[in-house]
């Protein structure tokens, strides 16, 4: 499926900003199930300095410095992406979860070490014994990894309520766990904390959901906004993407922007501003099937 | 060669102003106390409030403008940015940030000064102790100047220090003349009376200019001659004119010796002010309206400070 | 044969069975301290106290303080200075110096490997988890080249001397080691308050630390500028070590800046001066990685410079120490350093670790469980000072509880025997008495490593205490390395 994405972020400040720096993760990365085509990022006011490159996880990243005084800052990112559904791997045929870490450690190839780094706590995913115990209920000894991971996904989806007023960007995982509420970012961090408490490599993935579902299908929670889910490592199937907010395996309605250890590594728009006073943020996301097989019009 | 950090230039500029302001405040309170002994002096503690445009902030304390209340307001009130405590506290914080540049003696003296003030309590501020207290404050401020003159390395930071002190001095003198003049606008029957003279003496003493004035004007004491002395006489170091000339000299020093700053920024504003003061006379100033004239000088000094900020202290 | 001590200040001094820096192993006084001992014996206690008071006054006058901030006030404290120096012979120092250079070299090779090929992890010499799971591991440093592969430009290696008279490494400090200002100031104090003690004794100078340091930092930037501009980046006046930042900036003759004085333009670093923006090539930074650049690390840090990592990655600025060196100085990795030295240098460590048992390994776990009553067991995770077991002081119940914890999570613990730290004669309220000391030499690395002769000797001022930290009742002594 080919999709057109338009992601527009508008910052409004109560006082002028004299200078600001921003780091953007707004260009979809290449990955096995996805091929990116054109992508543009327009910024207003025009930045004095802009550099586009890749971060240490290979995600496209854009650095900006705005050096003229401004009270409004608008970023518009437009991309076109081809997404395919990854092949399914029968969950019961995946390796026992408790062997995965030691296999990677023994193998010790650069690729394995690269995978291993996602098995450890990161700033947004530290959690206590309660979360670890919660995770264990899905992961009895010897259980196939994917089976257990799907089970965990289902439980989080069933036992936690989507509530955008319950938490903020900085709410710790333990608090999310206690409240049993949150948004997609919280559920992703929670599931990562669960998996990492068992030394299982898992990544945080940011991206988008299709805005209007195909006929007959329900609209998924998290569309019209940027979305977050997780990716767990399976020796047979590679990285398998799971969405705890919607209790699905990722197929062709999710578009991946970037992955990292957690939100801190890849937040879509990150910045430092001088001045500004109070600020408000408006985010508008539209993801639609491309109008034609060629480049769609926005 | 490393240039002076903008932040350090700004800190030392304000440190000098803060100590000078504390010095002036102590002087004014001290003189006021003597003055208010005379029968006509009951309202005069309020004139100090007017001098610093503090009537509203004082009202916010909810107290009556008695001697005790005003003295406390200007010496120990931490919420009053014009109090000696506030100024010396800020000066000490500036000094701390300037540790890499200033001598240990400079730091230790300011640190000790601050410690002494912060240990004062209300009983220490009673009117009968005021004279001793203000003397101590003045001496400490002078000691700071002395140590600075002895130990601060004569690089750009020295110039910014002297520049700050001179601008503050000019500003303080305009306020002093302005307020006192309004208060002392004499009734025709008072002119030449002992009360009238006593009042002018007070103004001169507040500026530490009484004896110098008497030497220059042994026979007369008129509003005009006092204004002339305090505002225009370049030979009296605390006059507005002399202070502006000193400030100009130091700003030129920064430009000529270090190549920093432009001829057209703060420098031009100071030059213009100096020129005005050189050409004007007390009689003309009084005729045009003394209050407006002094207000205008204050505004120009504020303009200079703002221009210094843009030119040297604030870089985006 | 025991030497008969002359009557005097040190009469009646008894090291209490510990190795004494002044008198050596019990019954065998160290020959190199003879002159100092004889001179000290010529003083009365009262005279020594007078010298000590003069020294303390001098400390205040010089402003050699560290500041403790409470919600209501700021208190400037001095680090207590003990007038009796700690003396090392030239031969002893030669071993320490070689050992420190070797260790710093190995740590630098390790860090370089971790951020490039990760061969040591692939070869299974150090468990991947200890590195990749380490909160101080910075993925942003992967593939980034630093000049001469020198990541740890300033390193403080904490040493203790055991009952056998040998020096052992207790800990490495490879991030922002502090304390060198006391080393230089303590020498000044001795020279001012005790010149008669030092006269005609050849003691290696420490007063050129600043020049040596800036020389090494300039070496790092030789690729960017022939006459590089160096600054010291401090968190500011509210940091308790601010005095040391001021001291170092003065000694090096460089500007002391804060994050807000610097700005990044076109991936280059500049400082804001009265003459406009001035280029900066080398930053000796005394700010933790996490607060260095709000764009790359903790976004709430007001102390850092936005864009600094970008300039760093572009090779336009040198940071000393490099980002991410914390991966080498933590307790877990410490246990593996002797193996790290062997792996990169093919040598045995000249300065051994304190005997350490790694519970992650079955032999280490077995040994620890079997000897728990005699060991100090430390968790290696990010748990601060909590969870340490001091075997000899623990109750049976506490020991049993700890055994359970060990079995449940062995990978989290290392164990060490209680070290009999050496002592040094120290002035106390009741006279000259033995107090435990340690030693922190400072190594500076540009293209090569130079070690400041001696280092900081910290002394635990409370009787029997092994804790030498300034915040917990410690003091310091002048450290002499004889020529």
């Amino acid at each position: 499926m080919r999709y057109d994405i338009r992601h527009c972020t508008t910052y409004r400040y109560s006082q002028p900003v004299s200078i600001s720096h921003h780091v953007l993760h707004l260009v979809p990365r290449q990955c096995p199930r996805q091929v990116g085509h054109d992508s543009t990022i327009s910024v207003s006011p025009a930045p004095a300095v802009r550099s586009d490159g890749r971060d240490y996880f290979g995600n496209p990243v854009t650095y900006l410095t705005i050096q003229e005084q401004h009270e409004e800052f608008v970023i518009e990112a437009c991309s076109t992406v081809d997404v395919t559904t990854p092949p399914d791997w029968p969950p019961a045929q995946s390796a026992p979860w408790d062997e995965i870490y030691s296999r990677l450690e023994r193998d010790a190839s650069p690729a394995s070490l690269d995978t291993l780094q996602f098995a450890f706590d990161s700033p947004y995913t530290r959690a206590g014994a309660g979360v670890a115990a919660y995770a264990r209920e899905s992961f009895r000894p010897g259980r196939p990894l994917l089976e257990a991971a799907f089970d965990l996904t289902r439980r989080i989806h069933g036992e936690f309520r989507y509530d955008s007023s319950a938490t903020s960007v900085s709410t710790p995982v333990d608090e999310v766990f206690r409240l049993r509420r949150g948004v997609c970012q919280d559920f992703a961090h929670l599931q990562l904390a669960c998996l990492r408490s068992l030394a299982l490599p898992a990544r945080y993935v940011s991206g988008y959901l299709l805005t209007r579902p195909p006929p007959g299908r329900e609209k998924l929670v998290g569309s019209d906004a940027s979305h977050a889910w997780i990716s767990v490592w399976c020796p047979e199937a590679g990285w398998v993407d799971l969405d705890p907010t919607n209790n699905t395996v990722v197929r062709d309605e999710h578009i991946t922007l970037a992955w990292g250890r957690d939100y801190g590594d890849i937040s879509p728009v990150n910045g430092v501003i001088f001045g500004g006073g109070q600020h408000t943020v408006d985010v508008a996301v539209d993801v639609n099937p491309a109008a034609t097989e060629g480049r769609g019009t926005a | 060669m490393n240039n002076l950090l903008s932040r350090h230039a700004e800190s030392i500029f304000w440190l000098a102003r803060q100590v000078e302001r504390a010095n002036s405040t102590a002087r004014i309170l001290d003189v006021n106390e003597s003055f208010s002994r005379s029968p006509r002096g009951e309202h005069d503690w309020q004139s100090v409030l007017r001098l610093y445009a503090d009537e509203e902030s004082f009202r916010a304390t909810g107290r009556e403008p008695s001697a005790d209340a005003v003295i406390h307001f200007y010496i120990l009130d931490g919420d009053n940015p014009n109090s000696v405590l506030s100024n010396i506290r800020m000066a000490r914080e500036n000094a701390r940030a300037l540790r890499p540049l200033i001598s240990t003696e400079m730091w230790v003296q300011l640190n000790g000064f601050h410690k002494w003030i912060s240990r004062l309590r209300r009983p220490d501020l009673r009117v009968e102790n005021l004279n001793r207290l203000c003397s101590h404050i003045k001496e400490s401020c002078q000691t700071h100047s002395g140590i600075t003159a002895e130990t601060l390395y004569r690089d750009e930071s020295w110039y910014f220090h002297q520049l700050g002190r001179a601008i503050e001095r000019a500003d303080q003198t305009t306020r002093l003349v302005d307020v006192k003049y309004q208060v002392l606008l004499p009734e025709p029957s008072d002119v030449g009376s002992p009360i009238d003279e006593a009042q002018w003496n007070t103004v001169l003493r507040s500026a530490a200019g009484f004896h110098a004035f008497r030497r220059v004007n042994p026979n007369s004491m008129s509003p005009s001659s006092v204004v002339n002395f305090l505002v225009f006489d370049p030979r009296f170091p605390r006059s507005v004119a002399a202070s502006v000339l000193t400030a100009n000299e130091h700003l030129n020093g920064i430009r000529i010796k270090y190549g920093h700053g432009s001829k057209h920024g703060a420098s031009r504003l100071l030059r213009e002010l100096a020129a005005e003061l050189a050409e004007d006379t007390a009689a003309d100033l009084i005729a045009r309206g003394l209050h407006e004239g002094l207000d205008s000088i204050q505004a120009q000094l504020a303009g200079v400070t703002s221009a210094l900020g843009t030119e040297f202290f604030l870089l985006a | 044969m025991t030497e008969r001590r002359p009557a005097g200040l040190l009469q009646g001094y008894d090291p209490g069975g510990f190795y004494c820096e002044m008198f050596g192993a019990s019954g065998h006084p160290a020959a190199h301290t003879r002159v100092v001992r004889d001179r000290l014996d010529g003083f009365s206690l009262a005279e020594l106290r007078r010298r000590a008071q003069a020294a303390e006054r001098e400390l205040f006058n010089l402003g050699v303080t560290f500041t403790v901030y409470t919600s209501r006030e700021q208190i400037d404290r001095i680090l207590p200075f003990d007038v009796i120096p700690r003396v090392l012979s030239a031969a002893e120092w030669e071993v320490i110096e070689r050992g420190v250079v070797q260790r710093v070299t190995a740590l630098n090779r390790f860090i370089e490997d971790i951020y490039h090929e990760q061969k040591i992890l692939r070869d299974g010499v150090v468990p991947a988890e200890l590195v990749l799971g380490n909160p101080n591991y910075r993925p942003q440093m992967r593939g980034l080249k630093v000049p001469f592969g020198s990541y740890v430009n300033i390193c403080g290696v904490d040493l203790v001397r055991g009952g056998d008279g040998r020096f052992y490494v207790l800990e490495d400090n490879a991030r922002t080691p502090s304390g060198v200002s006391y080393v230089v100031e303590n020498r000044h104090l001795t020279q001012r308050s005790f010149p008669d003690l030092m006269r005609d004794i050849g003691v290696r100078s420490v007063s050129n630390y600043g020049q040596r340091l800036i020389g090494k930092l300039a070496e790092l930037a030789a690729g960017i500028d022939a006459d590089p501009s160096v600054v010291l980046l401090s968190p500011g006046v509210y940091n308790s070590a601010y005095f040391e930042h001021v001291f170092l900036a003065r000694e090096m003759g460089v500007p002391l800046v804060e994050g807000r004085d610097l700005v990044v333009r076109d991936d280059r670093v500049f400082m804001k001066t009265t003459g406009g923006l001035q280029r900066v090539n080398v930053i000796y930074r005394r700010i933790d990685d996490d607060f260095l650049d709000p764009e790359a690390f903790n976004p709430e840090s007001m102390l850092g410079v936005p864009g600094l990592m970008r300039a760093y990655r572009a090779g336009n600025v040198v940071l000393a120490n490099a980002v991410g060196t914390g991966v080498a100085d933590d307790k877990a990795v410490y246990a593996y350093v002797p193996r790290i030295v062997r792996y990169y240098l093919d040598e045995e460590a000249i300065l051994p670790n304190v005997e350490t048992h790694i519970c992650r390994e079955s032999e280490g776990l077995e040994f620890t469980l079997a000897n728990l009553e005699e060991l100090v067991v430390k968790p290696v995770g990010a748990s601060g000072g909590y969870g340490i077991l001091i075997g000899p002081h623990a109750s049976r119940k506490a020991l049993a509880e700890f055994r359970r914890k060990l079995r449940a999570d062995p990978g989290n613990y290392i164990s060490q025997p209680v070290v009999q730290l050496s002592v040094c004669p120290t002035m106390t309220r009741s006279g000259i008495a033995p107090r435990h000391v340690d030693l922190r030499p400072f190594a500076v690395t540009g293209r090569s490593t130079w070690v400041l002769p001696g280092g900081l000797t910290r002394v635990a001022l409370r009787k029997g205490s092994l804790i030498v930290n300034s915040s917990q009742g410690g003091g310091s002594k002048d450290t002499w390395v004889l020529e």
Side-chain angles (χ1 to χ4, degrees), chain A residues 19 21-23 49 56-57 63-65 67 101 105 108-110 113-114 116-117 120 126 261 270 272 274, chain C residues 117-118 121-122 127-129 132-133 135 137 139-140 142 263-267 294-295 299 306-307 310 313 360:
Chain A
I19 187 171
H21 303 263
H22 303 271
V23 182
V49 176
Y56 38 90
F57 295 115
Y63 292 99
L64 304 172
T65 306
Q67 280 165 203
Y101 183 88
E105 202 183 16
S109 64
L113 289 178
D114 228 28
L116 259 190
Q117 72 178 303
F120 308 112
R126 296 187 207 286
R261 296 169 299 172
N270 206 353
V272 177
F274 292 86
Chain C
E117 316 278 288
Q118 300 190 331
L121 298 183
R122 279 154 43 191
E129 178 188 332
L132 300 179
Y137 172 74
Q140 298 93 327
R142 285 296 296 275
V263 69
V264 175
R265 291 264 165 97
D266 298 327
D267 288 357
E295 205 179 81
R310 260 189 286 142
R313 256 198 295 275
R360 201 170 207 274

Side-chain angles (χ1 to χ4, degrees), chain B residues 171 174 269 273 293-306:
Chain B
D171 183 81
T174 62
L269 296 174
L273 181 56
L294 293 171
D295 242 9
S296 159
I297 295 174
Q298 279 167 24
Q300 287 182 70
L301 289 170
V304 170
T305 301
S306 182

Side-chain angles (χ1 to χ4, degrees), chain B residues 66-134:
Chain B
S66 63
D68 279 334
V70 173
I71 290 171
H72 180 267
F73 185 67
Y74 280 111
I75 297 193
L76 270 198
D77 190 339
D79 293 326
N80 174 14
N82 280 324
S83 72
V84 172
L85 176 67
S86 294
N87 274 299
I88 297 305
R89 177 195 293 152
M90 290 190 284
R92 175 188 181 243
E93 284 317 300
N94 276 320
R96 193 188 287 274
L98 288 164
R99 288 299 303 269
L101 297 182
I102 62 176
S103 67
T104 304
E105 289 108 312
M106 255 177 93
W107 161 253
V108 169
Q109 193 264 337
L110 272 172
N111 198 20
F113 187 7
H114 174 260
K115 214 185 269 189
W116 171 77
I117 294 188
S118 50
R119 293 207 172 123
L120 293 175
R121 297 285 172 263
R122 277 189 190 270
D124 303 312
L125 302 185
R126 275 199 301 268
V127 173
E128 51 269 28
N129 294 333
L130 188 63
N131 181 252
R132 202 161 14 106
L133 193 72
C134 289

Side-chain angles (χ1 to χ4, degrees), chain B residues 1-9 92-93 96-97 99-100 102 104 107-108 111 156 160 260 312 315-316, chain C residues 61-63 67 69 74 76 237-238 242 246 250 255-258 260-261 265 271-276 278:
Chain B
M1 230 278 297
N2 279 305
N3 286 331
L4 181 63
L5 281 181
S6 296
R7 181 170 52 89
H8 284 162
R92 175 188 181 243
E93 284 317 300
R96 193 188 287 274
R99 288 299 303 269
I102 62 176
T104 304
W107 161 253
V108 169
N111 198 20
E156 220 177 340
F160 278 102
H260 296 157
F312 297 104
L315 288 172
Chain C
N61 290 343
L62 293 172
T67 310
Y69 288 91
Q74 308 152 340
D76 286 336
V237 299
Y238 297 108
Y242 182 64
V246 172
R250 279 217 195 103
L256 180 64
V257 305
E258 295 172 22
R260 56 195 161 131
D261 296 318
R265 291 264 165 97
M271 80 179 157
K272 302 177 193 172
T273 75
T274 51
Q278 189 181 314

Side-chain angles (χ1 to χ4, degrees), chain B:
Chain B
M1 230 278 297
N2 279 305
N3 286 331
L4 181 63
L5 281 181
S6 296
R7 181 170 52 89
H8 284 162
E10 189 174 13
S11 278
I12 204 165
F13 173 80
W14 283 104
L15 184 154
R17 291 195 66 162
Q18 281 144 6
V19 176
E20 184 63 27
R21 192 170 299 188
N23 195 6
S24 275
T25 306
R27 190 182 299 283
I28 284 168
L29 286 175
D30 196 10
V31 169
N32 241 283
E33 192 272 328
S34 330
F35 178 66
S36 73
R37 287 200 205 114
S38 72
R40 255 183 71 177
E42 290 90 359
H43 301 293
D44 219 68
W45 288 108
Q46 284 209 318
S47 76
V48 183
L49 297 172
R50 267 199 295 278
L51 186 145
Y52 290 115
D54 274 335
E55 292 106 308
E56 214 175 290
S57 353
F58 184 83
R59 246 198 304 277
T61 69
R63 302 188 64 193
E64 287 303 305
S66 63
D68 279 334
V70 173
I71 290 171
H72 180 267
F73 185 67
Y74 280 111
I75 297 193
L76 270 198
D77 190 339
D79 293 326
N80 174 14
N82 280 324
S83 72
V84 172
L85 176 67
S86 294
N87 274 299
I88 297 305
R89 177 195 293 152
M90 290 190 284
R92 175 188 181 243
E93 284 317 300
N94 276 320
R96 193 188 287 274
L98 288 164
R99 288 299 303 269
L101 297 182
I102 62 176
S103 67
T104 304
E105 289 108 312
M106 255 177 93
W107 161 253
V108 169
Q109 193 264 337
L110 272 172
N111 198 20
F113 187 7
H114 174 260
K115 214 185 269 189
W116 171 77
I117 294 188
S118 50
R119 293 207 172 123
L120 293 175
R121 297 285 172 263
R122 277 189 190 270
D124 303 312
L125 302 185
R126 275 199 301 268
V127 173
E128 51 269 28
N129 294 333
L130 188 63
N131 181 252
R132 202 161 14 106
L133 193 72
C134 289
S135 296
H136 194 293
I137 294 171
K138 284 185 292 186
E139 268 162 40
S140 298
C141 294
Q142 279 157 6
T143 304
H144 163 78
S145 296
I147 293 179
T148 306
E150 291 285 294
T151 66
L152 187 63
Y153 188 65
R154 292 300 185 269
D155 68 357
E156 220 177 340
S157 56
W158 163 255
Y159 287 91
F160 278 102
H161 183 277
Q162 297 301 100
L163 178 58
R165 187 167 137 200
I167 291 180
E168 184 67 26
R169 206 168 261 192
D171 183 81
Q172 290 290 324
T173 306
T174 62
R175 288 174 194 276
L176 180 66
V177 174
D178 193 7
V179 168
K180 282 305 178 188
Y181 192 80
Q182 287 180 57
V183 169
L184 303 175
L185 219 47
E187 306 288 336
S189 56
D190 285 343
V191 173
S193 71
I195 292 172
D196 192 30
E197 277 217 9
Q199 290 159 357
W200 286 118
N201 286 345
T202 304
V203 177
L204 287 164
R205 283 187 205 275
S206 295
F210 176 70
H211 291 115
F213 177 83
R214 291 249 62 104
R215 273 202 308 279
V216 171
N217 296 281
N219 301 315
S220 76
M221 165 99 68
S222 65
S224 175
S225 64
V226 174
V227 169
N228 189 60
F229 182 73
L230 291 178
V231 179
F232 295 107
D233 193 339
R235 295 165 299 173
F236 174 51
R238 300 187 84 91
S239 77
V240 180
S243 301
V244 171
L245 283 172
T246 304
N248 195 33
E249 189 184 301
H250 286 106
L251 190 54
N252 281 343
I254 291 170
R255 202 177 66 251
I256 293 166
K257 261 193 131 135
Y258 297 95
H260 296 157
S262 100
K263 260 200 280 214
H264 308 290
S267 213
R268 181 171 61 80
L269 296 174
L270 260 182
R271 266 200 320 274
E272 282 170 5
L273 181 56
E276 278 167 37
L277 291 168
E279 285 166 14
D280 208 352
T281 64
D284 286 341
L285 184 63
I286 292 171
R288 291 197 313 269
L290 183 62
H291 173 71
E292 290 72 22
L294 293 171
D295 242 9
S296 159
I297 295 174
Q298 279 167 24
Q300 287 182 70
L301 289 170
V304 170
T305 301
S306 182
L308 288 173
T310 315
E311 237 173 293
F312 297 104
F313 306 151
L314 304 168
L315 288 172

